[in-house]
Amino acid sequence: MTKPRPPFDVKALADSVRGGDRRALARAVTLVESMRPADREQAEALLTGLLPHTGSAMRIGISGAPGVGKSTFIEAFGAHLTGQGRTLAVLAVDPSSRRSGGSILGDKTRMENLARNPAAFIRPSPAGASLGGVARRTRESILLAEAAGFDVVLVETVGIGQSETAVSEMVDIFVLLIGPGGGDELQGIKRGVMELADIVLVTKADGELKQAAARAAADYGHALHLMRPKYAGVAAGVKQVSALEGRGIVEAWTAIGQFHRALAQSGQLEKLRRNQLKRWFWNEVQAVLEEEISTDARIAAEARKIEADIAAGRALPNAAARRLIRHFRAS
Amino acid sequence: MTKPRPPFDVKALADSVRGGDRRALARAVTLVESMRPADREQAEALLTGLLPHTGSAMRIGISGAPGVGKSTFIEAFGAHLTGQGRTLAVLAVDPSSRRSGGSILGDKTRMENLARNPAAFIRPSPAGASLGGVARRTRESILLAEAAGFDVVLVETVGIGQSETAVSEMVDIFVLLIGPGGGDELQGIKRGVMELADIVLVTKADGELKQAAARAAADYGHALHLMRPKYAGVAAGVKQVSALEGRGIVEAWTAIGQFHRALAQSGQLEKLRRNQLKRWFWNEVQAVLEEEISTDARIAAEARKIEADIAAGRALPNAAARRLIRHFRAS
């Protein structure tokens, strides 16, 4: 039972967000994450009002299997960015947090320094939501962070499950962190994730793992080379980083920045974002359809009946689909 | 311009199909492949009438990059099955056939013997169709082949693009053919396909490639071992085949049969097919929705307007999605 909140003054909240007020931003994200219909209406009013002020940030997706050193890297990466006078928002996508019980960023002490850094904003993944729900709210949180003036939005996800694809569809550039263990490390990562990567960072390139990291970097470089490139004239790359020794962080940021500039200057970034918006829209159309079908008692019952007919071999899926849509339009 | 056909007597056609009349089956598949609304209605009447007589075949998906020796294998595999008194239908999924100009099975001489074999039925992929369209019609063709009493339905696809996922969602068991070249061979295969494989067959395990094939088989066995299994208690496997020398064909069929039996006896086959039907249904719901949106001039115009608003940052995708669905239901 969520305790009722006083209604927001949407306009005032929008202004505070645009003013860069971090508590207002946190409040706006909470509103966007709320599943209460009344909150939803306000959230969309807020977002629609802020839309003209979005799109300015560099949107970076970052993924890696548990234990690869993601938090440590983000800490060092964030320190470098903010040290350069940039502002950074870190959002997390972790649909598994519902099952695993704790959001991957739930414990802010995971990134102690960044959490205390006034130039950074860290937001844990909303718990108890489906991937679709998390993805929608993360997309909207990116927009909020942009409206609040953040230069870089980092969307973090765990290197398992379907969340990488969802994240890759909401960011400009997808960074994959892999440990120095070479091929074996990839076993911890769901197949198909590698092909999403624009930049691969081999972590823990220090101490006795230095040689292994160098070999792994060469291997992944070779693998990326063999994959058909995602973009014309913009090649994926591999770097080694040691968050521990603070080495490679600058190079990683440089590689990410160069990749992003190349996308922007070739017009491919605009195209990418336009397509992402279009896909988002049609995903939402599907989501709204399923939502309205499930919430309309009569249609929901019809859908269940149809599913049973199909399972029993009494109905053909496509004929049944038209039947359901007919009911849907008629009701 | 397709020349008009006389209307079918659906009942009579259904009876002929059930009687195993191959020309009737070919005619039924043509009806199912037709995009003319009148044909579509008859096709669904035909299929609905035949539904109670479907589900009996072993549904095998088979994929492999061009040049891996798919046709040669299917020839030998088909000869073995029919030699055992089994009947075999081979269907092809190749959405690229539209672009490449020729269907992968368009030239039946590709499988000369099987094409002449009275116990086999070979059907090229319908040209000029989208993957969605091809997938739907292939699903329906599987049902027709089952109603016609075929023991095994082989759904062939090229080892590139998205078609493997589509095929894996309509068959009981997915067989991946890979050449003896080891890792390099995988480069010809879209990433993510490997994880669909229930059985991997390393081809051309003969002559001077024998050693390489053995090494490749060991590698893939190791790779499969590292992947989380698709089914409880049913492990994927790797075999070597030489269609040229006719070696490994029996072992391949044995492995496929054992895998299929294990799925069936553990109740996982029934679950798999039930889920496939459910997914098929919801894919169709989505397809019908998009179809009706695109064919209703007013809604289509609204959709284009909304897409433009979103691209221009004037509308939020999920609010816009509800707007479109509202129009859709109201119209």
Side-chain angles (χ1 to χ4, degrees):
Chain A
M1 191 59 201
T2 52
K3 68 177 189 322
R5 282 188 299 276
F8 287 91
D9 173 348
V10 170
K11 179 76 185 61
L13 182 59
D15 293 341
S16 317
V17 168
R18 284 204 58 202
D21 174 342
R22 295 147 49 84
R23 296 190 40 232
L25 174 59
R27 216 161 150 230
V29 173
T30 304
L31 180 65
V32 153
E33 286 174 356
S34 166
M35 295 194 248
R36 295 153 72 207
D39 291 346
R40 192 64 222 155
E41 260 178 52
Q42 288 189 303
E44 290 186 358
L46 175 70
L47 287 158
T48 307
L50 290 173
L51 268 183
H53 313 292
T54 61
S56 51
M58 184 188 294
R59 303 169 179 173
I60 306 173
I62 187 157
S63 176
V68 76
K70 236 174 11 290
S71 334
T72 324
F73 171 77
I74 295 175
E75 276 267 50
F77 190 70
H80 174 65
L81 260 61
T82 54
Q84 289 188 323
R86 290 191 171 78
T87 53
L88 169 74
V90 182
L91 311 170
V93 172
D94 179 19
S96 70
S97 61
R98 179 183 26 171
R99 289 186 301 283
S100 71
S103 150
I104 53 173
L105 278 177
D107 177 7
K108 283 199 182 177
T109 60
R110 231 193 70 204
M111 297 181 188
E112 260 184 15
N113 304 325
L114 209 54
R116 278 196 308 265
N117 187 327
F121 175 85
I122 298 187
R123 183 69 179 204
S125 178
S130 68
L131 175 56
V134 174
R136 172 191 301 180
R137 285 174 252 163
T138 307
R139 282 188 161 106
E140 294 177 340
S141 300
I142 292 173
L143 298 175
L144 292 172
E146 288 182 331
F150 282 88
D151 304 315
V152 176
V153 178
L154 206 63
V155 182
E156 176 190 9
T157 183
V158 289
I160 48 176
Q162 294 302 310
S163 51
E164 287 72 18
T165 313
V167 169
S168 72
E169 287 180 354
M170 62 179 82
V171 297
D172 304 330
I173 175 168
F174 192 85
V175 177
L176 178 62
L177 265 54
I178 306 186
D184 299 349
E185 296 282 344
L186 271 176
Q187 297 309 329
I189 299 175
K190 190 171 179 306
R191 273 142 213 83
V193 170
M194 185 75 184
E195 69 186 321
L196 299 174
D198 297 308
I199 304 279
V200 172
L201 299 179
V202 178
T203 58
K204 304 175 184 175
D206 44 45
E208 55 193 12
L209 289 174
K210 218 162 184 159
Q211 296 312 316
R215 274 195 308 276
D219 292 347
Y220 298 132
H222 182 62
L224 285 174
H225 178 69
L226 286 162
M227 297 186 191
R228 48 182 104 68
K230 272 164 76 180
Y231 303 103
V234 189
V238 182
K239 298 280 173 209
Q240 302 174 51
V241 296
S242 164
L244 211 67
E245 301 176 357
R247 283 189 311 96
I249 305 296
V250 179
E251 291 76 2
W253 168 244
T254 307
I256 291 168
Q258 282 172 346
F259 193 98
H260 197 266
R261 266 191 305 284
L263 277 191
Q265 283 160 6
S266 61
Q268 294 181 93
L269 179 61
E270 192 201 343
K271 186 158 163 287
L272 172 70
R273 286 187 169 187
R274 203 165 50 235
N275 292 335
Q276 286 176 339
L277 274 172
K278 192 169 176 173
R279 204 156 46 239
W280 181 12
F281 170 59
W282 285 104
N283 291 345
E284 291 291 347
V285 169
Q286 171 77 345
V288 169
L289 175 75
E290 285 170 7
E291 186 183 304
E292 294 198 3
I293 285 175
S294 63
T295 51
D296 179 324
R298 268 190 50 260
I299 311 264
E302 177 68 19
R304 279 191 300 277
K305 190 181 162 307
I306 288 175
E307 278 184 344
D309 286 349
I310 290 170
R314 287 189 299 267
L316 190 70
N318 32 15
R322 267 204 308 289
R323 199 168 99 209
L324 182 65
I325 293 285
R326 202 157 49 236
H327 279 268
F328 181 69
R329 296 189 80 163
S331 70
Chain B
M1 194 56 201
T2 52
K3 68 178 188 323
R5 282 187 300 275
F8 289 89
D9 172 348
V10 170
K11 179 74 184 63
L13 182 58
D15 293 341
S16 315
V17 168
R18 285 205 58 203
D21 175 342
R22 295 146 50 84
R23 294 188 42 233
L25 174 58
R27 214 160 151 231
V29 172
T30 303
L31 180 63
V32 153
E33 287 175 357
S34 166
M35 295 195 248
R36 294 152 73 207
D39 291 345
R40 192 64 221 155
E41 260 178 53
Q42 289 189 303
E44 291 186 358
L46 175 70
L47 287 158
T48 306
L50 289 174
L51 267 182
H53 312 292
T54 62
S56 50
M58 184 187 295
R59 303 168 180 174
I60 305 173
I62 187 157
S63 176
V68 75
K70 235 173 14 285
S71 334
T72 324
F73 171 77
I74 294 175
E75 276 265 53
F77 190 71
H80 174 66
L81 260 62
T82 54
Q84 289 188 323
R86 290 190 172 77
T87 53
L88 169 75
V90 183
L91 310 170
V93 172
D94 179 18
S96 69
S97 61
R98 176 182 28 172
R99 289 185 301 283
S100 70
S103 149
I104 54 174
L105 278 177
D107 178 8
K108 284 199 184 177
T109 60
R110 232 193 69 203
M111 298 180 189
E112 258 184 14
N113 304 325
L114 209 54
R116 278 196 307 264
N117 186 327
F121 174 84
I122 297 188
R123 183 69 179 203
S125 177
S130 69
L131 175 56
V134 173
R136 171 189 303 179
R137 285 173 253 162
T138 307
R139 282 189 159 106
E140 294 177 340
S141 300
I142 291 172
L143 298 176
L144 291 173
E146 288 183 330
F150 282 88
D151 304 314
V152 176
V153 179
L154 206 63
V155 182
E156 176 189 9
T157 182
V158 289
I160 49 175
Q162 293 303 309
S163 50
E164 287 73 20
T165 313
V167 169
S168 71
E169 287 179 354
M170 62 179 81
V171 297
D172 305 331
I173 176 168
F174 192 85
V175 177
L176 178 62
L177 265 55
I178 306 185
D184 301 350
E185 296 282 345
L186 272 176
Q187 297 310 328
I189 298 173
K190 188 170 180 308
R191 271 142 216 83
V193 170
M194 186 74 185
E195 69 185 322
L196 299 174
D198 297 308
I199 304 279
V200 172
L201 299 180
V202 178
T203 58
K204 304 175 184 177
D206 44 46
E208 56 193 12
L209 289 174
K210 217 161 184 160
Q211 296 312 315
R215 271 195 309 276
D219 292 347
Y220 298 131
H222 181 62
L224 285 174
H225 177 69
L226 287 162
M227 296 186 191
R228 48 182 104 68
K230 271 163 77 179
Y231 303 102
V234 189
V238 181
K239 298 280 171 208
Q240 301 174 51
V241 297
S242 164
L244 211 67
E245 302 175 357
R247 284 189 312 94
I249 305 296
V250 179
E251 291 76 2
W253 168 244
T254 307
I256 291 169
Q258 282 171 347
F259 192 98
H260 197 267
R261 264 190 306 285
L263 277 191
Q265 283 159 8
S266 61
Q268 295 181 91
L269 180 61
E270 192 200 344
K271 187 158 163 286
L272 172 70
R273 286 186 171 187
R274 201 166 51 237
N275 291 337
Q276 286 176 339
L277 275 171
K278 193 169 175 172
R279 205 156 45 239
W280 180 12
F281 169 59
W282 286 104
N283 290 345
E284 292 291 348
V285 169
Q286 170 76 347
V288 169
L289 175 75
E290 285 171 7
E291 186 182 304
E292 294 198 3
I293 286 174
S294 63
T295 51
D296 179 324
R298 264 188 54 260
I299 311 266
E302 178 68 18
R304 279 191 301 276
K305 190 180 162 308
I306 289 175
E307 279 184 343
D309 286 349
I310 290 170
R314 287 189 299 266
L316 190 70
N318 31 15
R322 268 204 307 289
R323 200 168 100 209
L324 183 65
I325 293 286
R326 203 156 50 238
H327 278 269
F328 182 68
R329 296 189 80 163
S331 70

Coordinates of all heavy atoms in Angstrom, one line a residue, chain A residues 66-99:
Chain A
P66 N 27.7 -9.6 -13.6 CA 28.0 -9.3 -12.2 C 29.5 -9.7 -11.9 O 30.0 -10.7 -12.4 CB 27.1 -10.2 -11.4 CG 25.9 -10.4 -12.3 CD 26.5 -10.4 -13.7
G67 N 30.2 -8.9 -11.1 CA 31.5 -9.2 -10.8 C 32.6 -8.7 -11.7 O 33.8 -8.8 -11.5
V68 N 32.1 -8.1 -12.9 CA 33.1 -7.6 -13.9 C 33.7 -6.3 -13.4 O 34.7 -5.9 -13.9 CB 32.4 -7.4 -15.2 CG1 31.5 -6.2 -15.3 CG2 33.4 -7.4 -16.3
G69 N 33.1 -5.6 -12.4 CA 33.6 -4.4 -11.9 C 32.9 -3.2 -12.4 O 33.5 -2.1 -12.7
K70 N 31.6 -3.3 -12.6 CA 30.8 -2.2 -13.2 C 30.8 -1.0 -12.3 O 31.1 0.1 -12.7 CB 29.4 -2.7 -13.5 CG 29.0 -2.5 -14.9 CD 27.8 -3.0 -15.5 CE 26.7 -3.6 -14.6 NZ 26.9 -4.8 -14.0
S71 N 30.4 -1.2 -11.0 CA 30.3 -0.1 -10.1 C 31.7 0.6 -10.0 O 31.7 1.9 -10.1 CB 29.9 -0.6 -8.7 OG 29.2 -1.7 -8.8
T72 N 32.7 -0.2 -9.8 CA 34.1 0.4 -9.7 C 34.4 1.3 -10.9 O 34.9 2.4 -10.8 CB 35.1 -0.7 -9.6 OG1 34.6 -1.7 -8.8 CG2 36.4 -0.1 -8.9
F73 N 34.1 0.8 -12.1 CA 34.3 1.5 -13.3 C 33.5 2.8 -13.4 O 34.0 3.9 -13.6 CB 34.0 0.7 -14.6 CG 34.1 1.5 -15.8 CD1 35.3 1.9 -16.4 CD2 32.9 2.0 -16.5 CE1 35.4 2.7 -17.5 CE2 33.0 2.8 -17.6 CZ 34.2 3.1 -18.1
I74 N 32.2 2.7 -13.1 CA 31.3 3.8 -13.1 C 31.8 4.9 -12.1 O 31.8 6.1 -12.4 CB 29.8 3.4 -12.9 CG1 29.4 2.5 -14.0 CG2 29.0 4.7 -12.8 CD1 28.0 2.0 -13.8
E75 N 32.2 4.5 -11.0 CA 32.8 5.4 -10.0 C 33.9 6.2 -10.6 O 33.9 7.4 -10.6 CB 33.3 4.6 -8.8 CG 32.3 4.3 -7.7 CD 32.2 5.4 -6.6 OE1 32.1 6.6 -7.0 OE2 32.2 5.0 -5.4
A76 N 34.9 5.5 -11.2 CA 36.1 6.1 -11.8 C 35.7 7.0 -13.0 O 36.2 8.1 -13.1 CB 37.1 5.1 -12.1
F77 N 34.8 6.4 -13.8 CA 34.4 7.1 -15.0 C 33.7 8.4 -14.6 O 33.9 9.5 -15.2 CB 33.4 6.2 -15.8 CG 33.1 6.6 -17.2 CD1 34.0 6.7 -18.2 CD2 31.8 7.1 -17.4 CE1 33.7 7.1 -19.5 CE2 31.4 7.5 -18.7 CZ 32.4 7.5 -19.7
G78 N 32.8 8.3 -13.6 CA 32.0 9.5 -13.2 C 32.9 10.5 -12.6 O 32.8 11.7 -12.8
A79 N 33.9 10.0 -11.8 CA 34.9 11.0 -11.2 C 35.6 11.8 -12.3 O 35.8 13.0 -12.2 CB 35.9 10.2 -10.3
H80 N 36.0 11.1 -13.3 CA 36.7 11.7 -14.5 C 35.8 12.7 -15.1 O 36.2 13.9 -15.4 CB 37.2 10.7 -15.5 CG 37.8 11.2 -16.7 ND1 39.0 12.0 -16.7 CD2 37.4 11.3 -18.0 CE1 39.2 12.4 -17.9 NE2 38.3 12.0 -18.7
L81 N 34.6 12.3 -15.4 CA 33.7 13.3 -16.1 C 33.4 14.5 -15.3 O 33.5 15.6 -15.8 CB 32.3 12.5 -16.5 CG 32.2 12.0 -17.9 CD1 33.3 11.0 -18.2 CD2 30.8 11.4 -18.1
T82 N 33.0 14.3 -14.0 CA 32.7 15.4 -13.2 C 33.9 16.3 -13.0 O 33.8 17.5 -12.8 CB 32.1 14.9 -11.9 OG1 33.0 14.0 -11.2 CG2 30.7 14.2 -12.1
G83 N 35.1 15.6 -12.9 CA 36.3 16.4 -12.8 C 36.6 17.3 -13.9 O 37.2 18.3 -13.8
Q84 N 36.0 17.0 -15.1 CA 36.1 17.8 -16.3 C 35.0 18.8 -16.3 O 34.8 19.5 -17.3 CB 36.0 17.0 -17.5 CG 37.2 16.1 -17.8 CD 37.0 15.4 -19.2 OE1 35.9 15.1 -19.6 NE2 38.1 15.3 -19.9
G85 N 34.2 18.9 -15.2 CA 33.1 19.9 -15.2 C 31.8 19.4 -15.8 O 30.9 20.2 -16.0
R86 N 31.8 18.1 -16.1 CA 30.5 17.6 -16.7 C 29.6 17.0 -15.6 O 30.1 16.7 -14.6 CB 30.8 16.5 -17.7 CG 31.5 17.0 -19.0 CD 31.5 15.8 -20.0 NE 32.0 16.3 -21.3 CZ 33.3 16.6 -21.6 NH1 34.2 16.4 -20.7 NH2 33.6 17.0 -22.8
T87 N 28.3 17.0 -15.9 CA 27.4 16.4 -15.0 C 26.9 15.1 -15.5 O 26.8 14.9 -16.7 CB 26.1 17.3 -14.8 OG1 25.6 17.6 -16.1 CG2 26.5 18.6 -14.1
L88 N 26.6 14.2 -14.6 CA 26.3 12.8 -15.0 C 25.1 12.2 -14.2 O 25.1 12.4 -13.0 CB 27.6 11.9 -14.7 CG 27.4 10.4 -14.8 CD1 27.3 9.9 -16.2 CD2 28.6 9.7 -14.0
A89 N 24.2 11.6 -14.9 CA 23.1 10.9 -14.3 C 23.3 9.5 -14.6 O 23.6 9.1 -15.7 CB 21.8 11.5 -14.9
V90 N 23.1 8.6 -13.6 CA 23.2 7.2 -13.7 C 21.9 6.5 -13.4 O 21.4 6.7 -12.3 CB 24.3 6.6 -12.8 CG1 24.4 5.1 -13.0 CG2 25.7 7.3 -13.0
L91 N 21.3 5.9 -14.4 CA 20.1 5.2 -14.2 C 20.3 3.7 -14.3 O 21.2 3.3 -15.1 CB 19.0 5.6 -15.3 CG 18.9 7.1 -15.4 CD1 18.0 7.4 -16.7 CD2 18.3 7.7 -14.2
A92 N 19.5 2.9 -13.6 CA 19.7 1.4 -13.7 C 18.5 0.7 -14.3 O 17.4 1.1 -14.0 CB 20.0 0.9 -12.3
V93 N 18.8 -0.2 -15.1 CA 17.7 -1.1 -15.6 C 18.0 -2.5 -15.1 O 19.0 -3.1 -15.5 CB 17.7 -1.1 -17.2 CG1 16.7 -2.2 -17.7 CG2 17.3 0.2 -17.7
D94 N 17.2 -3.0 -14.2 CA 17.4 -4.4 -13.7 C 16.1 -5.0 -13.3 O 15.7 -5.0 -12.2 CB 18.3 -4.3 -12.5 CG 18.5 -5.7 -11.9 OD1 18.3 -6.7 -12.6 OD2 18.9 -5.8 -10.7
P95 N 15.4 -5.6 -14.4 CA 14.1 -6.2 -14.1 C 14.2 -7.3 -13.1 O 13.3 -7.7 -12.5 CB 13.7 -6.7 -15.5 CG 14.8 -6.4 -16.4 CD 15.8 -5.7 -15.8
S96 N 15.5 -7.9 -13.0 CA 15.6 -9.0 -12.1 C 15.6 -8.6 -10.7 O 15.5 -9.4 -9.8 CB 17.0 -9.7 -12.4 OG 18.0 -8.8 -12.0
S97 N 15.7 -7.3 -10.5 CA 15.8 -6.8 -9.1 C 14.5 -7.2 -8.3 O 14.6 -7.4 -7.1 CB 15.9 -5.3 -9.1 OG 14.7 -4.7 -9.7
R98 N 13.4 -7.4 -9.1 CA 12.2 -7.9 -8.4 C 12.5 -9.2 -7.8 O 12.3 -9.5 -6.6 CB 11.1 -7.9 -9.4 CG 9.8 -8.5 -8.8 CD 8.7 -8.6 -9.9 NE 9.4 -8.8 -11.2 CZ 8.7 -9.1 -12.3 NH1 7.4 -9.2 -12.2 NH2 9.3 -9.3 -13.4
R99 N 13.0 -10.1 -8.6 CA 13.3 -11.5 -8.1 C 14.4 -11.5 -7.2 O 14.3 -12.1 -6.1 CB 13.5 -12.4 -9.3 CG 12.3 -12.7 -10.2 CD 12.6 -13.7 -11.2 NE 13.7 -13.2 -12.1 CZ 13.5 -12.3 -13.1 NH1 12.3 -11.7 -13.2 NH2 14.5 -12.0 -13.9

